[in-house]
Amino acid sequence: MSIEHRRHFTVPPPDTGESKHNPTTTWNCYLRELSKQKKYQEALTVYRHMLRSSFFPNTFTFPVLLKSCALLSLPLTGSQLHSHIIKTGSQPDPYTRSSLINMYSKSSLPHLARKVFDEESINLTISYNAMVSGYSSNSMILEAVNLFRKMRREVSFSVNSVTMLGLVSGFTLPSHLKLGACLHACGFKFGFESDLSVANSFLTMYVKCGEVEQARQLFDEIPVKDLITWNAMISGYAQNGHARRVLELYFEMKKMGGVNPDPVTLLGVLCSCANLGAQGIGREVEKKIEQLGFRSNSFLTNALINMYARCGNLVRAREVFDCMDDRNKSVVSWTAIIGGYGIHGEGEIAVELFDAMVRSGVRPDRTVFVSVLSACSHAGLTEKGLKYFDEMVRKHGLQPGPEHYSCLVDLLGRAGRLKEAMDLIDSMKVKPDGAVWGALLGACKIHRNVELAEVAFQHVIELEPTNIGYYVLLSNVYSDAKNLDGVLKVRIMMRDRKLRKDPGCSYVEYKGKMHLFYSGDKSHPRIKEIYRMLDELESLVKEIHQPDHKCQGKTEEPLIGAGVHSEKLALAFGLLNTKPGTDITVMKNLRVCVDCHVFFKLVSKIVNRQFIVRDATRFHRFKNGVCSCKDYW
DNA sequence: ATAGGGTTAG
């Protein structure tokens, strides 16, 4: 009997004689059907009904139920089943035993799993597989590998590809890489490389260990790729910030044909669009979502909100958010929209949304507080920010981490309350990370506090000695104070440590492509037009610009961004290619250079257009191999 | 027994 016929029953009716089998078999079929449809909770309910109706489970009943417990992470129900199995007297058969091992492993109880494993003197491949995978998924890599070795030694139990899958899935940290690569070579020897699922799992392993290049090499070696292969590589690039490569791969996949994207693919693409500010491509993805009927996937909707928000299109982000069914609005959805308003300085709206979220009964988590606090600090809502921090701890019982403290230090610092910021750091229960001291250093830059800047610098450099941004920041503090010795000191320090500032770059999106500019860049095909436009703008700006006394103190030899700023080039290019009345989003590294804000504001006034300057920090952070090539236009 | 997934600041 199919599940369709049973829909109007909560549980199957007792055997009506339609089946020649024993009634338990009918129940088992029903349970298996539920499990196939991933209705695990229902399966367990049906089991209770089964007991109440005095039908007895047999060996085929338990594996299904144990799987439900494993996937729902219900170790209590699982161990009850375990004792029930023991009570039935008979030794659990191999399938039930491997299900038990799996259930305990998935509930993070590998020791109990091992107990079940050890109860049998001769284990079959399936028990070994379950145990190896159990150790592996509980990050007990050594135990997993040892068992794997034992398995290989005992001739009668051969390693199969499922063993490999279970073992490899646990290699998730950079420290696992060496063993993992070894295993990869070993897998080749066994002839597993022809098994696509094994190859895919190694691909994922390289991604998780942070070795995208290795992953790519393997990806290229796989002759016939399936959707999982593409997804593993695409999301691998996405997670490691290689946004540009994600898009390249996505287009390649489309060109190849044969494989259609699924929600996982599009998720990686959208995330990369968000990081690149590639709204045009993002819009196409949205159409695709519509076409393929993935509208109801809330992962995708959240990614869409995030994409539009980060691309500066708050209107569309809000529309997508508002169109969501209230039941589907998770903390993540709220975080995306709140963060969106926060980035663009709309702190008031961000805060209102946060309150609305709490009212709607969604429990805030630590991440959403990061968004709220940073929204407050960007909008100068100092008191509100402090209030929310307090509520986070007292009302919602959430432990503040360094990421919250760095927002709070930023909040107090921007408001000029440097002393309080310093006291806050002293009062921290967790160890301050680089970001906390970095926020203080940034505040010292704004408020020209050389002494405190030196203290903050000492700390931050201990934690992040190779982060060039902080050296630049301190140098600028000295430079503002006309302390040339200080500037020199920092420069020598940078030279000794062989740190070089990568050239910053800005970009705008045009016709679905990124147009990238370095400062003083002359490589763009339409460079002549761009410079002509820029000259025009600069002379117009000079006409209306009254020199600001604050700018006078600047030393003439800045560490970075000398000459024509990259964002000016990007702006000029944007103006050349868009119709009057449309907004232009320029992506730049907000942290490095703020001087261009004045220029942007003035141009905005002159041409009567809106410019959105978007932070491309993420893009810059991971730009190894992303930013260096010139083939963006 | 089995490979791929959304949010955060400086």
Side-chain angles (χ1 to χ4, degrees), chain A residues 97-145:
Chain A
R97 246 163 0 93
S98 51
S99 300
L100 276 169
I101 294 171
N102 183 44
M103 184 274 296
Y104 282 125
S105 305
K106 288 260 157 61
S107 312
S108 313
L109 297 164
H111 301 288
L112 293 180
R114 180 70 199 218
K115 243 176 102 184
V116 178
F117 182 82
D118 284 338
E119 274 160 14
E120 188 73 34
S121 52
I122 301 167
N123 278 304
L124 298 176
T125 301
I126 48 169
S127 313
Y128 267 100
N129 285 353
M131 200 59 235
V132 167
S133 146
Y135 276 140
S136 203
S137 55
N138 282 290
S139 48
M140 297 164 78
I141 296 297
L142 282 180
E143 285 85 347
V145 170

Side-chain angles (χ1 to χ4, degrees), chain A residues 6-7 120 127 155 177 196 305 318 321 339 371 393 396 399 406 408 411 431 506 562 597 600 611:
Chain A
R6 309 253 177 193
R7 191 161 273 167
E120 188 73 34
S127 313
V155 197
L177 186 69
L196 188 51
I305 297 169
R318 187 60 189 263
F321 178 78
S371 290
V393 181
H396 301 284
Q399 277 298 316
S406 62
L408 217 58
L411 185 86
K431 189 180 181 313
S506 303
H597 276 308
F600 271 59
F611 302 122

Side-chain angles (χ1 to χ4, degrees), chain A residues 228-240:
Chain A
I228 304 264
T229 321
W230 286 100
N231 284 351
M233 199 64 240
I234 286 178
S235 60
Y237 274 144
Q239 282 161 39
N240 287 284

Side-chain angles (χ1 to χ4, degrees), chain A residues 140 187 291 327 393 486 587 601 606:
Chain A
M140 297 164 78
Q291 265 173 33
R327 284 172 310 171
V393 181
M587 311 285 293
K601 259 192 196 146
I606 294 165

Side-chain angles (χ1 to χ4, degrees), chain A residues 399-552:
Chain A
Q399 277 298 316
E403 65 273 36
H404 300 103
Y405 282 105
S406 62
C407 289
L408 217 58
V409 169
D410 188 54
L411 185 86
L412 289 166
R414 278 177 204 248
R417 294 157 71 168
L418 295 176
K419 171 91 176 51
E420 281 169 78
M422 188 64 223
D423 291 344
L424 181 76
I425 297 178
D426 285 335
S427 78
M428 280 173 66
K429 281 184 202 130
V430 284
K431 189 180 181 313
D433 65 358
V436 175
W437 291 109
L440 186 66
L441 182 55
C444 293
K445 162 75 176 70
I446 301 171
H447 297 285
R448 298 164 182 247
N449 186 327
V450 180
E451 282 153 60
L452 200 55
E454 284 172 340
V455 176
F457 180 77
Q458 278 308 313
H459 281 104
V460 82
I461 235 59
E462 212 169 279
L463 295 160
E464 291 180 36
T466 57
N467 191 327
I468 309 123
Y470 298 128
Y471 294 86
V472 176
L473 214 47
L474 182 67
S475 166
N476 289 343
V477 171
Y478 283 136
S479 146
D480 282 349
K482 296 187 185 148
N483 180 344
L484 291 180
D485 286 346
V487 175
L488 208 65
K489 202 172 72 189
V490 178
R491 235 184 252 203
I492 290 168
M493 224 189 288
M494 285 172 76
R495 203 180 53 203
D496 289 349
R497 296 179 193 185
K498 295 196 169 46
L499 296 173
R500 269 199 15 243
K501 174 75 185 73
D502 287 324
C505 66
S506 303
Y507 51 103
V508 286
E509 193 190 353
Y510 173 59
K511 285 196 174 165
K513 289 199 170 170
M514 294 303 159
H515 291 251
L516 230 78
F517 299 91
Y518 293 90
S519 65
D521 201 345
K522 293 214 165 68
S523 60
H524 195 278
R526 294 173 63 186
I527 199 68
K528 279 199 176 149
E529 284 171 78
I530 294 168
Y531 269 91
R532 212 178 303 134
M533 167 67 91
L534 198 56
D535 285 342
E536 211 175 297
L537 289 174
E538 294 213 318
S539 48
L540 282 169
V541 164
K542 269 182 203 139
E543 271 175 39
I544 60 164
H545 183 41
Q546 305 295 321
D548 187 335
H549 67 277
K550 269 192 218 153
C551 295
Q552 299 293 309

